[in-house]
């Protein structure tokens, strides 16, 4: 009888552990069938554009939905939206990001952002900037203290980051791992050179999606899918 009671108790502990072990440490949004799993909020230091889930039969993960962030409210300036989670210090984030190839020296920036501080108005962002004049992937800090101009931590030329000079728009898997204020950057599961990068201007914050237009004013849409966050210990 004691053995049976112990077995039931142990099994209950296992069920409780695996169903409740750090549930807050993982956040995902696949935007399946045009519906969000997470709550998204606009960055108050930019315009009021917010990420929305939409139906898309060509979603890269095949679930008929993606997330989109536009910059239309302010007529062509930067737009930033973040997932409302607990604030993060050590974490891993990844997302599929649609990177458009545009002719010349004007075009959109599309990517993900991290260590977003909506109170003090600063963050880091990783974007694809695939204008044909000089296609790059770049990592930068942006904040009120820089008048929202980017302070670049690293610029990778596209043939260095992707392996070829991109000829057409397509989806890329962007990922960032932050540990003790140092960031390692990945593109399509490949670690990009030069890291880890010091990201100590923001101690902790949120993760989200970024959109902007370079070379003047222009409306852009950043498309994302399979947005994933894992919060890690110290």
């Amino acid at each position: 009888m004691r053995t049976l009671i112990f077995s039931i108790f142990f099994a209950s502990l296992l069920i409780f552990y695996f169903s409740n072990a750090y549930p807050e440490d993982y956040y995902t949004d696949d935007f399946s069938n045009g519906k969000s799993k997470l709550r998204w909020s606009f960055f108050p230091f930019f315009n009021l554009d917010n990420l929305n889930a939409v139906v898309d039969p060509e979603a890269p993960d095949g679930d008929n939905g993606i997330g989109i962030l536009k910059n239309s409210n302010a007529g062509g300036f930067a737009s930033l939206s973040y997932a409302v989670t607990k604030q993060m210090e050590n974490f891993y984030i990844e997302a599929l990001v649609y990177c458009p190839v545009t002719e010349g020296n004007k075009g959109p920036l599309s990517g993900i952002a991290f260590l977003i501080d909506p109170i003090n108005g600063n963050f880091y962002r990783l974007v694809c900037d695939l204008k044909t004049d000089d296609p790059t992937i770049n990592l930068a800090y942006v904040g009120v203290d820089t008048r929202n101009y980017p302070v670049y931590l690293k610029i990778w030329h596209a043939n260095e980051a992707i392996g070829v000079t991109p000829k057409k728009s397509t989806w890329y898997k962007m990922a960032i791992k932050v540990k003790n204020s140092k960031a390692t950057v990945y593109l399509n599961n490949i670690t990009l050179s030069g890291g880890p990068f010091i990201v100590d201007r923001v101690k902790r914050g949120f993760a989200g999606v970024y959109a902007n237009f370079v070379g003047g004013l222009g409306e852009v849409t950043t498309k994302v899918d399979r947005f994933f966050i894992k919060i890690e210990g110290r």
Side-chain angles (χ1 to χ4, degrees), residues 3 5 26 61 75 81 104-105 115 125 135 145 174-175 197 216 234:
T3 302
I5 292 173
Y26 296 87
D61 62 356
S81 180
N105 59 5
L115 291 174
R125 94 288 189 277
D145 54 339
M174 292 184 171
F197 303 95
R234 294 182 179 275

Side-chain angles (χ1 to χ4, degrees), residues 132-209:
T132 56
D133 278 8
D134 185 20
T136 70
I137 305 294
N138 61 77
L139 175 69
Y141 167 82
V142 180
V144 171
D145 54 339
T146 67
R147 298 176 60 193
N148 290 326
Y149 286 103
V151 176
Y152 292 101
L153 281 70
K154 181 68 176 180
I155 298 175
W156 297 273
H157 294 287
N159 58 356
E160 174 189 5
I162 302 170
V164 296
T165 300
K167 300 298 183 183
K168 64 179 183 178
S169 306
T170 191
W171 293 86
Y172 293 90
K173 181 180 176 181
M174 292 184 171
I176 298 158
K177 180 181 178 66
V178 173
K179 181 74 172 179
N180 298 330
S181 297
K182 296 180 180 179
T184 303
V185 180
Y186 309 88
L187 188 70
N188 293 339
N189 298 319
I190 302 298
T191 304
L192 295 187
S193 63
F197 303 95
I198 302 299
V199 289
D200 58 358
R201 293 202 189 197
V202 185
K203 183 172 178 58
R204 62 177 61 87
F206 303 99
V209 178

Side-chain angles (χ1 to χ4, degrees), residues 113-133:
F114 61 102
L115 291 174
I116 300 168
D117 182 351
I119 302 300
N120 296 302
N122 45 16
F123 61 94
Y124 292 86
R125 94 288 189 277
L126 174 69
V127 299
C128 50
D129 180 10
L130 302 186
K131 302 186 297 293
T132 56
D133 278 8

Side-chain angles (χ1 to χ4, degrees), residues 68-86:
I68 63 169
L69 176 65
K70 299 184 178 182
N71 69 340
S72 55
N73 278 339
F77 293 104
S79 184
L80 177 61
S81 180
Y82 62 93
V84 180
T85 63
K86 72 177 185 181

